[in-house]
């Protein structure tokens, strides 16, 4: 990986929020001059920082922030993971990508109970099914220009796909921005239950796979905004009052450490006053703390909405 590859996405997309991607663990050390200030700015994590993980469900213990079900449409918590000893997506060869897919699919196939499901490779999915899965927020979009310029869409759709259980509460994206995006989601705002399912799935997968992890940076990901926990815990929340002033909504969310996205994820707009609100920071914060931050921030947003 050369510097021109690290910055390719930002050069091709001047409207990038961040614009850099790593090709492997070494990229983060070799290109520390561009990466470290970005990491410090995004996560508030300095050069002396050390990351710690905490996926202990019993330590979370958060109440449902919307028990009446008036605002929160659904809750989703995802983590990114990459396999140890392989390059990250931007530098992965076609052959390596196929090995990653086969390794991950084999691990997923042995899950049982509510985590059992099927793997659907992208190349054999019919277009209508694909559109439906994307529209319903289960599947990644295609042709993202930020990923394209980073080299993450090479050989598309080869070795890409989605695994999910029949109820689509547990899903795994294979070989999109990261080799795995492990997702727990369901309607409503039962954060505790969504987190518990994710933690259980991760414990099962860690018995079968070895993920890339650094003492300093936590779980390694292709985009520096995902390092650390690699976790984005989000709600889809309807806020018609706050929607009248999106700048104020974003400022209020930011006060609670939260980021606001549109109804169809990153780089999308809000539809019907539904926003995707999630923890911004992922490095230098534990998984438990990140979900607690979301619960508290969502409660504050609902209180502000109800005052309008
Ligand atoms: P990522 O979550 O991997 O950072 P995106 O921002 O592109 O990537 O979101 C991926 C998909 O997940 C999108 O379809 C988005 O609408 C959906 N999504 C995010 N949060 C929720 C949620 N709380 N409920 C339902 N769908 C969600
Ligand atoms: C960008 O730079 O806009 C994309 N590469 C995504 C960066 C991470 N997203 C974010 O902070 N919203």
């Amino acid at each position: 990986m050369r510097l021109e590859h690290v910055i390719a996405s930002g050069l091709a997309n001047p409207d990038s929020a961040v614009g850099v991607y790593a090709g492997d663990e070494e990229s983060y050390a070799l290109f520390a001059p561009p990466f470290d200030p970005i990491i410090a700015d995004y996560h508030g994590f300095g050069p002396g920082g050390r990351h710690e993980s905490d996926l202990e469900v019993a330590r979370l213990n958060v109440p449902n922030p919307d028990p009446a079900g008036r605002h929160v449409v659904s809750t989703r918590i995802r983590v990114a993971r990459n396999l140890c000893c392989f390059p990250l997506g931007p530098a992965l060869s076609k052959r390596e990508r196929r090995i990653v897919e086969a390794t991950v699919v084999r691990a997923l196939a042995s899950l049982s109970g509510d985590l059992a499901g099927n793997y659907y490779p992208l190349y054999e999915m019919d277009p209508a099914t694909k559109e439906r899965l994307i529209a319903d927020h289960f599947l990644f979009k295609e042709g993202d220009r930020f990923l394209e310029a980073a080299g993450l869409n090479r050989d598309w759709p080869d070795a890409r796909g989605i695994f999910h259980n029949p109820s689509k509460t547990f899903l795994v994206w294979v070989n999109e921005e990261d080799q795995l995006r492990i997702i727990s989601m369901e309607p409503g705002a039962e954060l505790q239950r969504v987190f518990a399912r994710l933690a259980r799935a991760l414990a099962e997968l860690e018995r079968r796979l070895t993920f890339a992890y650094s003492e300093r940076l936590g779980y390694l990901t292709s985009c520096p905004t995902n390092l650390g926990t690699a976790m984005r815990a989000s709600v889809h929340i309807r806020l018609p009052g706050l929607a009248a002033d999106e700048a104020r909504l974003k400022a209020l969310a930011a006060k609670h450490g939260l980021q606001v996205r549109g109804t169809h994820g990153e780089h999308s707009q809000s539809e019907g006053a539904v926003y995707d609100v999630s923890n911004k920071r992922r490095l230098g914060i534990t998984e438990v703390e990140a979900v607690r931050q979301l619960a508290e921030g969502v409660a504050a947003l609902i209180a502000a909405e109800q005052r309008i």
Side-chain angles (χ1 to χ4, degrees):
M1 195 80 174
R2 291 158 46 154
L3 181 63
E4 68 206 67
H5 299 130
V6 168
I7 62 174
S9 190
L11 285 181
N13 301 286
D15 58 334
S16 289
V18 177
V20 293
Y21 287 89
D24 52 25
E25 177 168 10
E26 193 190 24
S27 303
Y28 283 111
L30 201 56
F31 304 112
F35 277 122
D36 279 354
I38 290 170
I39 290 169
D41 180 58
Y42 186 90
H43 299 284
F45 183 86
R50 261 178 94 83
H51 181 74
E52 266 182 53
S53 174
D54 181 7
L55 283 152
E56 188 53 60
V57 178
R59 269 195 289 274
L60 179 62
N61 212 9
V62 283
N64 179 330
D66 183 29
R70 287 172 57 191
H71 299 279
V72 176
V73 181
S74 52
T75 300
R76 173 182 186 265
I77 310 181
R78 63 82 165 156
V79 295
R81 292 287 186 270
N82 291 278
L83 296 189
C84 166
C85 314
F86 281 88
L88 296 166
L92 205 60
S93 71
K94 182 170 181 177
R95 181 171 175 275
E96 289 167 328
R97 200 184 298 110
R98 285 189 174 189
I99 296 171
V100 167
E101 182 193 38
T103 308
V104 171
V105 169
R106 195 182 137 106
L108 292 171
S110 68
L111 295 177
S112 58
D114 65 332
L115 303 178
N118 290 306
Y119 179 66
Y120 305 91
L122 213 56
Y123 74 88
E124 60 179 44
M125 196 181 284
D126 69 88
T129 304
K130 200 191 301 176
E131 303 257 300
R132 188 78 260 144
L133 285 174
I134 295 171
D136 291 345
H137 310 285
F138 296 121
L139 181 61
F140 46 81
K141 289 178 265 190
E142 285 195 7
D144 181 286
R145 62 189 163 91
F146 301 88
L147 301 187
E148 177 70 35
L152 278 155
N153 292 349
R154 284 170 301 124
D155 311 309
W156 195 274
D158 197 77
R160 275 74 174 203
I162 182 171
F163 170 95
H164 64 77
N165 65 0
S167 60
K168 301 196 191 81
T169 55
F170 172 62
L171 311 96
V172 180
W173 294 356
V174 179
N175 284 323
E176 196 240 9
E177 183 174 322
D178 291 290
Q179 291 161 10
L180 297 94
R181 287 286 173 98
I182 304 164
I183 303 160
S184 170
M185 64 195 280
E186 64 181 52
E190 286 295 344
L191 270 70
Q192 186 78 21
R193 190 163 60 210
V194 175
F195 184 69
R197 186 191 301 113
L198 180 76
R200 193 157 43 82
L202 284 172
E204 287 294 327
L205 288 174
E206 264 162 16
R207 289 171 49 207
R208 295 159 170 84
L209 301 167
T210 305
F211 297 128
Y213 189 85
S214 137
E215 283 292 303
R216 183 168 92 90
L217 299 175
Y219 289 101
L220 293 169
T221 54
S222 64
C223 177
T225 67
N226 282 318
L227 289 166
T229 59
M231 167 179 283
R232 192 168 83 86
S234 65
V235 293
H236 268 182
I237 181 168
R238 190 169 282 114
L239 300 168
L242 291 169
D245 186 350
E246 282 195 355
R248 194 177 145 232
L249 164 62
K250 285 181 182 168
L252 183 57
K255 229 176 81 183
H256 294 275
L258 303 179
Q259 189 183 61
V260 180
R261 297 184 179 187
T263 319
H264 292 280
E266 192 164 39
H267 309 118
S268 75
Q269 297 301 311
S270 164
E271 290 170 7
V274 174
Y275 294 88
D276 170 334
V277 174
S278 60
N279 60 298
K280 178 181 183 218
R281 198 170 165 214
R282 316 191 209 291
L283 173 63
I285 183 171
T286 71
E287 290 82 352
V288 162
E289 285 164 352
V291 177
R292 188 168 297 132
Q293 190 176 40
L294 177 71
E296 288 169 4
V298 166
L301 287 175
I302 291 176
E305 175 71 18
Q306 286 175 350
R307 282 196 295 273
I308 292 178

